[in-house]
C-alpha cells in the first residue's frame, strides 16, 4: 500500500467533467442517425442499380403491346412487308437466296490465337 | 437527370491490320482505356465477360484486344468515364450531305427505349415515331432492324424446327406451312447442325464462342444477326425493288445499342450483297469490297449526330403510319431485351407446330416464362399442342419445347460456361438457347447512354443477390 503511505487517495472524477450524461446521449443519437442514413443510402444504391434496365425493359414490352394493339402483329410472319419480301424476293426461309444473303458461317479463332479451352 | 458523357475517337490508321485474333479488315481496339483518366478502381475487370482486362487495384488498366469481345460493358460501367469508343459520326455526316447517296438507317430495337435519355427524358421513354421522323429529317431512309428481326425469326425458327426434325425424328425432309403455303425444307446438311441451337444475334457472344469455345460453333444458328440481314437485304431487294436506287450508291448505317456491332460490320465475309449483285449482273465486277453494312453508330453516336444537326427527336410526335421496311411485329421489337429473341422464336414455332393463327391481343401469345428480366439464367419448358400432320410424325399430341435464356455472359463467363459445357458434352436438356453478352439484353449494351442510375458494377461485390 505504498501509494497510501505517500498520502495519495484515489478519488473518482465526476462523470460530468469528461462528458455529461446528456451530451453522451446526444452523441449516440447523432451516431445512430448517421449510420442509419448511410446504410439506407447504400441499400438504396444497391436496390436501384438495375432500375434503368427495368425501365427500359418495360418500354420494350410496351412497344410489343402497342404494335399488337395497333396493327395486330404479334408473330413475325404476320408482318405484311415481310410477306412481300419473301413473296417477291427470297421465296421462303432457308431458300437458296436466303442461304446466300441471310446466313453465314463461323470459324475458330484459336488457330491464330491459341488459348485455353 | 443527365447522362454521362462518353469520349470517342476516330479510327486510327492501323485499326484494320490483322493480328493474332483479328483477320485483316476487322476493326480492332474499338474500346480503349484512356490511361490518363484510369484511376485503377478495378470495376472494369469485375464486369468483363472475357477476362480481357489486366491491371490491379490502383494501377492503370489495359484491355488485351486479342481477348476482347468488344461488348463495351467496361465502358458503360466505368465510374470515372475513363473508357472511350471508336466512332464514325463524321463519316456518316459526309454521306448524308452527299445527295447522290441513299443513306439507310438500320435502327435497332433497343435504341428506341434509351435515346430519349440523351435528350433529358427519364429512362424507359419509348421513342419510335419521333425517332423515325428525326432520322428522316437528318436525311436517312429507314430500314427497321425490327423488320430484319422478323426475317431472323423466319430463318432461325425454321432452322430450329429443322434441327429438331433431323435429330429427334430422323427426317430427311420437313414440311412447314407459312401464309397458307406449304414449304419443303431439305435437311441433308443438318447433320452439321446439332442440337441445342444457340442464337447468333449477339456479335459479342459470336466472337466469344469463336475465341474461347470453338467446339460450340456448329451449335450456333447459321443465321446472320438482324443488322447483317438488313444490310444484305437493303443493298439488294431494297435498292432494286423498293427504293429504285443504284445499289453501289446505297450507304447502310447500323444504329445500334452495341459496340460489338461496329466490329461485326467489319467482318470480311459480310459483303454478300455485292456477291449477289455481281452474280445477277446488277453490278459490274470490281475489286473494291462493298460491305453489307458500311458504318455503325451507337445510340450515343446518333444522339451526338442529331445534336450536330440541331435535331431534337423529342419535339416530334409519336403518331405515324409505317411504310415499307418500317413494318415490324411485336415479337421483333422485344429482341432488345433479354429473352426477346427466344420469345419471338417460341411464338413463331408455336404457330407452325400448332397450326393456330395468333390472336395479337391475347396474353396466350406472351411467353413470360422465357423472359430474362434481371435473372442471370432462365430455363423454361413450353407445351406446344401439335397439329394433326405433326401428331403422326411425333406419335404424341404435344411437343415439349425446352429453352434457356442466358441473360449476360457474366463476369469471366460465369453464367454461360456451365451451359456451353453441357452442350459440348452432349448432355444439354435444351432445344434452343439464347445468349446475350450484356445483362438485361441489348438495352443495357455498351453503346447505350450511360445512365448515372446504373451501378451494376456493384453486382459482383454483393455477398447475396438482392
Amino acid at each position: 500500500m505504498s501509494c497510501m503511505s505517500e498520502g495519495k487517495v484515489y478519488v473518482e472524477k465526476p462523470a460530468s467533467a469528461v462528458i455529461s450524461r446528456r451530451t453522451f446521449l446526444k452523441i449516440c443519437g447523432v451516431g445512430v442517425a448517421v449510420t442509419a442514413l448511410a446504410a439506407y443510402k447504400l441499400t438504396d444504391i444497391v436496390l436501384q442499380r438495375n432500375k434503368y434496365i427495368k425501365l427500359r425493359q418495360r418500354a420494350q414490352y410496351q412497344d410489343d403491346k402497342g404494335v399488337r394493339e395497333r396493327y395486330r402483329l404479334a408473330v413475325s410472319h404476320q408482318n405484311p412487308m415481310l410477306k412481300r419480301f419473301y413473296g417477291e424476293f427470297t421465296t421462303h426461309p432457308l431458300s437458296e437466296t436466303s442461304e446466300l444473303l441471310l446466313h453465314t458461317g463461323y470459324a475458330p479463332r484459336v488457330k491464330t490465337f491459341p488459348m485455353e479451352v | 437527370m443527365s447522362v454521362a458523357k462518353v469520349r470517342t475517337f476516330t479510327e486510327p490508321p492501323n485499326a484494320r491490320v490483322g493480328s493474332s485474333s483479328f483477320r485483316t479488315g476487322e476493326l480492332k481496339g474499338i474500346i480503349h482505356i484512356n490511361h490518363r483518366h484510369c484511376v485503377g478502381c478495378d470495376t472494369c475487370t469485375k464486369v468483363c465477360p472475357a477476362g480481357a482486362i489486366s491491371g490491379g487495384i490502383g494501377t492503370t488498366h489495359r484491355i488485351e484486344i486479342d481477348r476482347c469481345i468488344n461488348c463495351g460493358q467496361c465502358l458503360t460501367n466505368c465510374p470515372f468515364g475513363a473508357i472511350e469508343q471508336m466512332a464514325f459520326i463524321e463519316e456518316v455526316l459526309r454521306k448524308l450531305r452527299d445527295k447522290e447517296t441513299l443513306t439507310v438507317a438500320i435502327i435497332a430495337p433497343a435504341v428506341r427505349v434509351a435515346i430519349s435519355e440523351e435528350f433529358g427524358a427519364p429512362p424507359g421513354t419509348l421513342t419510335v415515331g419521333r425517332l423515325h421522323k428525326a432520322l428522316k429529317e437528318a436525311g436517312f431512309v429507314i430500314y427497321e432492324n425490327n423488320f430484319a428481326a422478323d426475317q431472323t425469326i423466319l430463318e432461325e425458327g425454321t432452322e430450329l424446327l429443322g434441327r429438331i426434325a433431323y435429330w429427334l425424328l430422323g427426317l430427311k425432309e420437313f414440311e412447314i406451312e407459312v401464309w397458307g403455303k406449304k414449304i419443303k425444307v431439305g435437311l441433308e446438311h443438318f447433320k452439321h447442325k446439332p442440337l441445342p441451337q444457340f442464337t447468333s444475334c449477339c456479335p459479342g457472344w459470336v466472337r466469344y464462342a469463336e475465341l474461347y469455345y470453338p467446339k460450340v460453333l456448329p451449335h450456333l444458328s447459321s443465321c446472320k444477326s438482324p443488322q447483317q440481314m438488313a444490310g444484305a437485304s437493303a443493298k439488294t431487294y431494297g435498292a432494286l425493288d423498293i427504293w429504285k436506287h443504284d445499289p453501289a450508291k446505297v450507304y447502310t448505317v447500323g444504329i445500334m445499342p452495341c459496340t460489338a456491332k461496329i466490329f461485326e460490320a467489319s467482318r470480311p465475309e459480310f459483303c454478300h450483297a455485292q456477291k449477289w449483285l455481281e452474280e445477277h449482273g446488277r453490278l459490274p465486277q470490281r475489286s473494291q469490297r462493298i460491305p453489307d453494312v458500311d458504318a455503325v453508330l451507337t445510340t450515343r453516336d446518333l444522339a451526338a449526330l442529331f445534336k450536330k444537326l440541331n435535331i431534337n427527336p423529342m419535339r416530334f410526335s409519336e403518331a405515324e403510319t409505317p411504310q415499307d421496311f418500317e413494318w415490324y411485329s411485336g415479337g421483333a421489337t422485344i429482341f432488345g431485351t433479354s429473352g426477346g429473341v427466344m420469345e419471338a422464336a417460341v411464338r413463331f414455332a408455336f404457330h407452325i407446330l400448332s397450326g393456330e393463327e395468333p390472336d395479337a391481343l391475347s396474353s396466350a401469345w406472351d411467353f413470360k416464362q422465357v423472359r430474362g428480366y434481371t435473372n442471370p439464367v432462365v430455363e423454361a419448358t413450353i407445351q406446344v399442342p401439335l397439329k394433326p400432320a405433326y401428331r403422326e410424325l411425333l406419335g404424341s399430341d404435344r411437343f415439349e419445347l425446352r429453352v434457356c435464356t442466358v441473360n449476360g455472359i457474366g463476369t469471366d463467363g460465369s453464367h454461360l460456361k456451365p451451359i456451353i459445357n453441357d452442350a459440348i458434352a452432349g448432355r444439354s436438356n435444351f432445344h434452343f438457347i439464347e445468349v446475350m453478352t450484356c445483362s438485361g439484353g441489348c438495352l443495357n449494351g455498351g453503346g447505350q447512354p450511360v445512365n448515372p442510375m446504373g451501378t451494376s458494377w456493384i453486382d459482383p461485390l454483393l455477398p447475396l443477390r438482392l
Side-chain angles (χ1 to χ4, degrees):
Chain A
M1 294 292 148
S2 58
C3 65
M4 280 293 209
S5 63
E6 283 164 30
K8 285 179 182 167
V9 179
Y10 175 72
V11 182
E12 194 183 355
K13 280 182 193 164
S16 58
V18 186
I19 183 173
S20 73
R21 200 175 66 93
R22 195 172 275 265
T23 315
F24 174 71
L25 285 178
K26 275 183 196 161
I27 290 171
C28 282
V30 169
V32 167
V34 167
T35 318
L37 274 174
Y40 175 78
K41 186 70 199 156
L42 211 65
T43 0
D44 213 39
I45 291 174
V46 169
L47 291 176
Q48 298 265 309
R49 72 192 187 284
N50 289 332
K51 196 179 167 194
Y52 74 105
I53 298 181
K54 291 175 185 161
L55 289 170
R56 287 176 188 171
Q57 282 177 336
R58 200 198 291 159
Q60 206 87 65
Y61 289 115
Q62 182 196 332
D63 196 25
D64 175 26
K65 195 159 169 271
V67 169
R68 286 159 71 172
E69 280 172 1
R70 263 175 281 137
Y71 311 117
R72 301 285 186 275
L73 304 176
V75 185
S76 298
H77 73 284
Q78 295 177 302
N79 182 335
M81 185 65 187
L82 189 80
K83 209 173 154 179
R84 200 177 144 196
F85 171 80
Y86 278 102
E88 293 177 2
F89 193 57
T90 57
T91 65
H92 62 82
L94 305 186
S95 69
E96 211 178 307
T97 316
S98 283
E99 290 283 354
L100 179 68
L101 289 174
L102 309 180
H103 289 256
T104 183
Y106 314 98
R109 289 171 189 270
V110 182
K111 242 186 253 165
T112 49
F113 186 45
M115 304 190 71
E116 72 278 13
V117 172
Chain B
M1 193 183 293
S2 65
V3 291
K5 179 128 183 63
V6 174
R7 272 183 293 266
T8 57
F9 59 94
T10 52
E11 182 188 332
N14 55 355
R16 291 177 200 255
V17 179
S19 77
S20 47
S21 82
F22 287 88
R23 289 170 290 167
T24 303
E26 287 177 335
L27 277 169
K28 59 181 195 290
I30 290 164
I31 310 289
H32 172 73
I33 301 181
N34 188 325
H35 62 91
R36 278 174 306 170
H37 295 98
C38 176
V39 299
C41 70
D42 214 34
T43 302
C44 49
T45 319
K46 293 196 176 66
V47 295
C48 181
I53 299 176
S54 58
I57 290 177
T59 64
T60 306
H61 284 56
R62 207 175 58 80
I63 299 174
E64 293 173 40
I65 52 170
D66 278 316
R67 302 186 65 118
C68 174
I69 59 171
N70 309 302
C71 69
Q73 279 300 299
C74 53
L75 186 156
T76 51
N77 285 298
C78 178
F80 300 95
I83 307 185
E84 306 170 345
Q85 174 220 317
M86 194 188 290
F88 297 87
I89 304 168
E90 288 305 324
E91 205 178 314
V92 175
L93 276 172
R94 264 200 305 281
K95 290 288 175 185
L96 282 172
R97 276 186 228 113
D98 175 15
K99 290 296 158 226
E100 280 189 6
T101 305
L102 185 80
T103 315
V104 182
I106 301 166
I107 162 157
V111 176
R112 72 205 62 207
V113 300
I115 191 158
S116 52
E117 290 167 38
E118 292 275 357
F119 295 91
T125 308
L126 184 63
T127 318
V128 187
R130 290 179 272 198
L131 184 53
H132 286 176
K133 284 170 201 161
L135 285 165
K136 284 172 190 166
E137 180 149 317
F140 288 101
V141 169
I142 290 166
Y143 190 118
E144 261 291 348
N145 207 36
N146 279 354
F147 176 82
D150 281 330
Q151 292 175 296
T152 306
I153 286 304
L154 269 270
E155 299 291 335
E156 195 162 341
T158 311
E159 185 189 350
L160 172 67
L161 296 175
R163 287 189 196 229
I164 291 171
Y166 183 86
W167 290 99
L168 299 184
L169 306 175
L171 298 179
K172 295 280 170 278
E173 197 181 60
F174 181 63
E175 193 175 80
I176 63 164
E177 194 180 324
V178 203
W179 307 301
K181 266 195 307 194
K182 287 191 163 59
I183 297 159
K184 277 198 172 14
V185 181
L187 300 176
E188 306 80 42
H189 63 293
F190 273 70
K191 65 171 178 285
H192 307 296
K193 293 182 166 192
L195 281 172
Q197 175 175 302
F198 282 78
T199 58
S200 59
C201 299
C202 173
W205 149 236
V206 170
R207 184 167 154 83
Y208 185 87
E210 286 181 328
L211 269 176
Y212 303 105
Y213 287 93
K215 281 187 186 149
V216 87
L217 291 175
H219 291 269
L220 260 69
S221 162
S222 66
C223 294
K224 290 180 184 176
S225 74
Q227 171 181 266
Q228 294 306 134
M229 287 199 184
S233 311
K235 289 196 174 185
T236 52
Y237 177 65
L240 298 173
D241 295 352
I242 305 296
W243 302 310
K244 319 268 189 230
H245 200 94
D246 176 8
K249 296 229 166 65
V250 173
Y251 187 82
T252 45
V253 184
I255 294 168
M256 298 286 143
C258 180
T259 43
K261 288 282 176 198
I262 302 173
F263 164 77
E264 186 190 60
S266 76
R267 289 176 67 121
E269 69 270 31
F270 288 144
C271 50
H272 294 119
Q274 181 182 19
K275 209 172 148 198
W276 187 91
L277 290 164
E278 285 173 358
E279 275 173 19
H280 288 76
R282 306 307 287 260
L283 204 66
Q285 298 270 344
R286 58 171 85 189
S287 53
Q288 202 196 352
R289 179 180 170 274
I290 304 176
D292 290 340
V293 175
D294 293 285
V296 175
L297 298 180
T298 62
T299 308
R300 294 187 299 265
D301 296 340
L302 179 66
L305 183 133
F306 278 156
K307 282 171 187 165
K308 279 191 179 181
L309 295 172
N310 239 330
I311 297 171
N312 181 353
M314 305 312 282
R315 67 184 169 79
F316 296 99
S317 76
E318 267 296 272
E320 66 156 1
T321 317
Q323 303 268 321
D324 301 336
F325 296 115
E326 288 163 29
W327 281 101
Y328 62 84
S329 73
T333 197
I334 54 175
F335 265 53
T337 175
S338 167
V341 179
M342 178 58 70
E343 186 169 348
V346 168
R347 287 182 193 176
F348 178 67
F350 195 94
H351 160 71
I352 296 293
L353 292 175
S354 70
E356 282 175 34
E357 269 311 311
D359 173 7
L361 301 181
S362 157
S363 62
W365 291 85
D366 281 336
F367 294 91
K368 290 191 178 156
Q369 63 270 45
V370 307
R371 294 182 184 174
Y373 294 117
T374 49
N375 310 307
V377 177
V378 175
E379 300 176 2
T381 303
I382 293 128
Q383 305 287 348
V384 188
L386 294 174
K387 65 179 186 184
Y390 295 137
R391 239 176 261 166
E392 281 169 36
L393 277 177
L394 273 110
S396 162
D397 58 355
R398 61 192 171 83
F399 178 68
E400 271 189 4
L401 184 63
R402 290 187 303 271
V403 301
C404 174
T405 299
V406 181
N407 183 359
I409 287 179
T411 305
D412 206 7
S414 55
H415 301 156
L416 177 64
K417 280 178 179 171
I419 288 162
I420 295 193
N421 285 330
D422 279 357
I424 294 173
R427 35 167 213 265
S428 181
N429 282 323
F430 304 112
H431 300 122
F432 194 26
I433 300 168
E434 176 197 299
V435 181
M436 292 295 155
T437 301
C438 303
S439 56
C442 311
L443 45 73
N444 187 31
Q448 292 285 62
V450 177
N451 200 293
M453 234 184 225
T455 37
S456 46
W457 52 269
I458 294 174
D459 264 350
L461 309 176
L462 294 177
L464 298 166
R465 278 202 75 79
L466 283 165

